[in-house]
Each structure stands twice: as C-alpha cells, then as structure tokens.
C-alpha cells in the first residue's frame, strides 16, 4: 500500500502547491480571516484522523468549565443535519455527529454546537442569550476563515508529521510548514514509559520555533467499563468471554488494553454509520456475550443493542510531564484575552 501511495507523489506535489497558495493568501490577508472578541482555542492536526482530538477537547473542557462558560464548535462529521445546530435535550448522534454528541452527554453544562461554517457557528453562539466565555474549535487547524487566538496542534507518536508526506502520497492535509501556526504542539498516544531522552530526540526532529511549547501525552484508560445500568472493573472482565468492537481510526491500543485470548474483535471504519445489517451481524457474533466498544462508537450504538449487553471504555488524555505548564498556558490565555485579534 505504501509503495502505491508513493506512486501518487506527483499528485501530492500538486495538492501541496494548492494548499500552500491558499495559506499564503490567508497569511497576506488577501483571503479574509475573521476574529472574535472572546478567547477561541483551535485544536487540530496536520494529518488526517487518529491523533486524539476528542480526548484533548475533553481535557480542555474539564480544565475550563469550572471557571468559564465553555462552548465547543465542531463540523459534525457524518451528521444527518445541516447548518448550525445547538445541542438540546432532543439531540442525538445523527443530529450532531458522534464526537459532539459525546461532548453533550458527558458535559451537560456546556454548550455544544455544530456548523461546517465556523464563522457562522461562532456568530450564532454569540447571538444566544447565554453567550460563551470561551469557544473550543474541534478539528479546525486548517479552517483559516476563523483566526483563533490559540492553536493546539496534535501529532501522534507513531505517526509524526515530520515523517509524513502530503496527501495522497501520505496523510498530511498541508505542508509540514503549517506547524508554524501552532502555539502548542502535543505528541499524543505516547508510550507511558517514554523517557526524557526519547522526548528530546523527538523535540530535535520536530525543529519547533522558539515560542512554541511541546508536550507529550498518553491515552489513559479508565479502570471500569460502563453501560447504562452499571459499571464493571476491567480486571474483573479480563476472563469474561466478550466482543470488542471499534469504529475508530486506530483501534489497536483499545483492543490491546482489553483483549484476552478468547475474545473476538469487530472493526469498522472511523465514524461508521451502523446500518441495520451491521447491527444484525453484531448481534449474531455476540449472541449473549457482552460487547465493549469505544465512547465514540457507544453513542452511535446506544439504543440499537440491548443496554445490559453494551458497554464502553472511557479514555482521558494524560500528560507525561509538565501538565501544570500546559494548564497555565491555557488559563493565562483565556484569563487575559478579551479577543483573539
């Protein structure tokens, strides 16, 4: 597969040229960017999928929501609605998309909105009676029409942007030089035992600017899986015959954390829209076994499988070190910013 992708390198050169021209036009103000009079934090990446944006947004929600009125704004990938939607009691994954609906369920005290047009989305949020104090833009690193005040760029430990090529030869959405827009770069999905020497080697390879901060995080799994009705410690289900199901970009670590020798797995594409045929196949394979899935898949499968059978494994972003420095950077920006211009 990699060999055939390398054959597409001429197309990658063309795609890279187009994205570079676009960025140049925004950088020079020829294409207009819009800014707003409140703190706006954009979280994204240079590559397509699998860097851990959702747990990073959730980390920011936990950090900020006790102090400020927080809103998240996402595109709402694969949702069945159109335009601007602000989550309410009747919202579901079909209306919002799986990740925004996950935010809505886990953090009922924040505003969760979706709109492919981020400028319109922010404008609509600011027209609400309850205006947010800070907006978190999900997967918006390339959305240049909005000029965020603070940019967080993620890159996965096993797939660093400095080793990648532009689409379609690689997975980069734009040239590696796009990292210059980032205030913070986070290497995600690191091994928890990553040494300081190894971190410094990565730092050297990334060649960041002097003002840019670099952090390293890993995925921390909860010690229990949860259904609508109960929770069970992971250590107690280790020997239970079960089905592990994932429709995420890179499910290997999820499977590795839970899988015992007797466990079967089912894999679906990222953001998969489970059809009735899919549900029947899952039921046939699972029979009376419990099914454990990711949080993102859980919100799309909830109500389609028996609630006493379906469980999910929550995750969190954890910092290898210097978490206090990251928190301070975010809190300082939000606390002192009256806008992002």
């Amino acid at each position: 597969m990699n060999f055939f992708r390398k054959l597409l390198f001429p197309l990658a050169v063309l795609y890279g040229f187009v994205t570079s021209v676009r960025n140049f036009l925004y950088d020079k103000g020829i294409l207009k960017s819009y800014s707003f009079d409140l703190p706006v934090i954009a979280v994204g990446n240079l590559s397509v999928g699998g860097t851990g944006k959702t747990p990073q947004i959730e980390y920011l929600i936990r950090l900020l929501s006790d102090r400020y009125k927080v809103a998240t704004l996402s595109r709402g990938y694969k949702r069945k609605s159109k335009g601007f939607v602000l989550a309410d009691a009747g919202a579901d994954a079909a209306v919002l998309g799986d990740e925004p609906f996950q935010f809505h369920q886990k953090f009922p005290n924040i505003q969760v909105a979706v709109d492919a047009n981020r400028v319109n989305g922010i404008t609509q949020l600011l027209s609400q009676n309850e205006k947010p104090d800070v907006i978190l833009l999900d997967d918006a690193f390339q959305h240049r029409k909005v000029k965020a005040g603070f940019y967080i760029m993620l890159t996965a430990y096993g797939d660093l942007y400095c080793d990648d090529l532009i689409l379609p030869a690689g997975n980069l959405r734009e040239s590696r030089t796009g990292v210059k827009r980032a205030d913070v770069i986070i290497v995600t999905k690191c091994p928890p035992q990553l040494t300081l020497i190894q971190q410094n080697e990565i730092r050297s390879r990334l060649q960041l600017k002097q003002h840019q901060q670099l952090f390293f995080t890993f995925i921390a799994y909860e010690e229990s899986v949860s259904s609508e009705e109960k929770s069970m410690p992971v250590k107690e289900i280790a020997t239970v015959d079960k089905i592990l199901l994932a429709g995420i970009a890179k499910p290997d670590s999820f499977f590795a954390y839970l899988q015992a020798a007797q466990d079967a797995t089912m894999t679906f594409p990222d953001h998969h829209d489970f059809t009735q045929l899919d549900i029947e196949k899952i039921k046939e394979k699972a029979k009376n076994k419990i099914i454990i899935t990711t949080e993102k898949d859980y919100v799309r499968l909830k109500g389609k499988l028996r609630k006493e059978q379906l469980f999910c494994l929550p995750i969190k972003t954890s910092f290898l070190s210097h978490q206090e420095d990251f928190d301070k950077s975010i809190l300082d920006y939000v606390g002192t910013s009256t806008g992002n211009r």
Side-chain angles (χ1 to χ4, degrees), residues 31-317:
L31 292 178
K32 183 173 175 57
S33 295
Y34 295 85
S35 56
F36 296 87
D37 288 325
L38 84 167
V40 176
I41 300 174
V43 178
N45 49 34
L46 290 184
S47 63
V48 290
T51 58
K53 292 184 296 293
T54 301
Q56 184 61 49
I57 290 285
E58 292 186 356
Y59 183 94
L60 293 171
I61 294 171
R62 293 186 182 98
L63 175 65
L64 295 168
S65 58
D66 286 343
R67 299 172 174 86
Y68 302 100
K69 290 181 287 186
V70 174
T72 65
L73 179 60
S74 310
R75 176 177 52 162
Y77 185 63
K78 286 195 173 182
R79 63 186 170 116
K80 296 179 180 178
S81 60
K82 300 292 184 182
F84 176 82
V85 178
L86 181 63
D88 58 19
D92 59 18
V95 171
L96 297 177
D98 49 17
E99 291 159 345
F101 185 55
Q102 181 176 314
F103 300 151
H104 179 55
Q105 286 203 311
K106 292 180 73 171
F107 306 101
N109 294 326
I110 73 167
Q111 293 173 299
V112 176
V114 292
D115 197 334
N117 183 335
R118 308 299 172 88
V119 174
N120 182 66
I122 294 175
T123 302
Q124 292 290 336
L125 281 168
L126 295 179
S127 71
Q128 305 297 312
N129 290 331
E130 287 288 326
K131 295 181 178 64
D133 297 321
V134 56
I135 295 176
L136 307 178
L137 294 182
D138 179 23
D139 195 13
F141 199 73
Q142 282 77 35
H143 202 92
R144 302 293 307 273
K145 283 190 177 181
V146 171
K147 187 178 187 301
F150 198 96
Y151 286 91
I152 300 173
M153 201 205 80
L154 312 181
T155 184
Y157 169 80
D159 192 19
L160 297 173
Y161 69 85
C162 61
D163 298 330
D164 209 345
L165 297 172
I166 293 178
L167 288 164
N171 292 317
L172 296 183
R173 299 172 174 178
E174 60 174 300
S175 165
R176 301 168 193 169
T177 60
V179 71
K180 68 184 179 183
R181 299 195 300 276
D183 298 285
V184 162
I185 295 90
I186 301 178
V187 180
T188 63
K189 301 186 177 181
C190 295
Q193 68 276 13
L194 191 69
T195 67
L196 183 59
I197 291 175
Q198 291 171 314
Q199 293 176 37
N200 286 333
E201 288 175 351
I202 293 173
R203 180 186 296 274
S204 177
R205 290 168 59 196
L206 296 183
Q207 298 182 340
L208 303 179
K209 303 296 183 184
Q210 188 172 1
H211 72 279
Q212 294 178 315
Q213 293 179 283
L214 179 65
F215 298 93
F216 296 84
T217 65
F218 64 96
I219 295 297
Y221 292 98
E222 295 285 355
E223 295 181 356
S224 298
V225 296
S226 301
S227 71
E228 283 191 74
E229 298 184 328
K230 64 178 181 179
S231 295
M232 294 191 297
V234 169
K235 61 183 179 182
E236 289 186 12
I237 63 168
T239 58
V240 174
D241 201 9
K242 55 190 176 291
I243 297 290
L244 304 179
L245 185 156
I248 57 177
K250 297 174 183 177
D252 292 350
S253 59
F254 167 76
F255 289 143
Y257 183 74
L258 292 171
Q259 190 172 13
Q262 76 279 4
D263 295 334
T265 63
M266 298 186 74
T267 305
F268 295 87
D270 195 18
H271 298 282
H272 184 64
D273 184 11
F274 293 97
T275 65
Q276 188 56 42
L277 181 60
D278 293 328
I279 299 301
E280 293 304 320
K281 287 180 179 178
I282 294 168
K283 289 179 178 178
E284 175 61 27
K285 190 163 187 175
K287 299 190 184 300
N288 291 319
K289 302 174 186 176
I290 66 169
I291 301 167
I292 304 177
T293 190
T294 69
E295 287 184 284
K296 191 164 72 170
D297 295 305
Y298 183 81
V299 298
R300 284 179 278 122
L301 289 168
K302 188 176 176 182
K304 298 179 180 179
L305 296 166
R306 291 187 291 118
K307 61 184 179 181
E308 66 272 16
Q309 184 181 28
L310 183 64
F311 290 78
C312 72
L313 176 66
I315 63 174
K316 287 184 180 181
T317 283

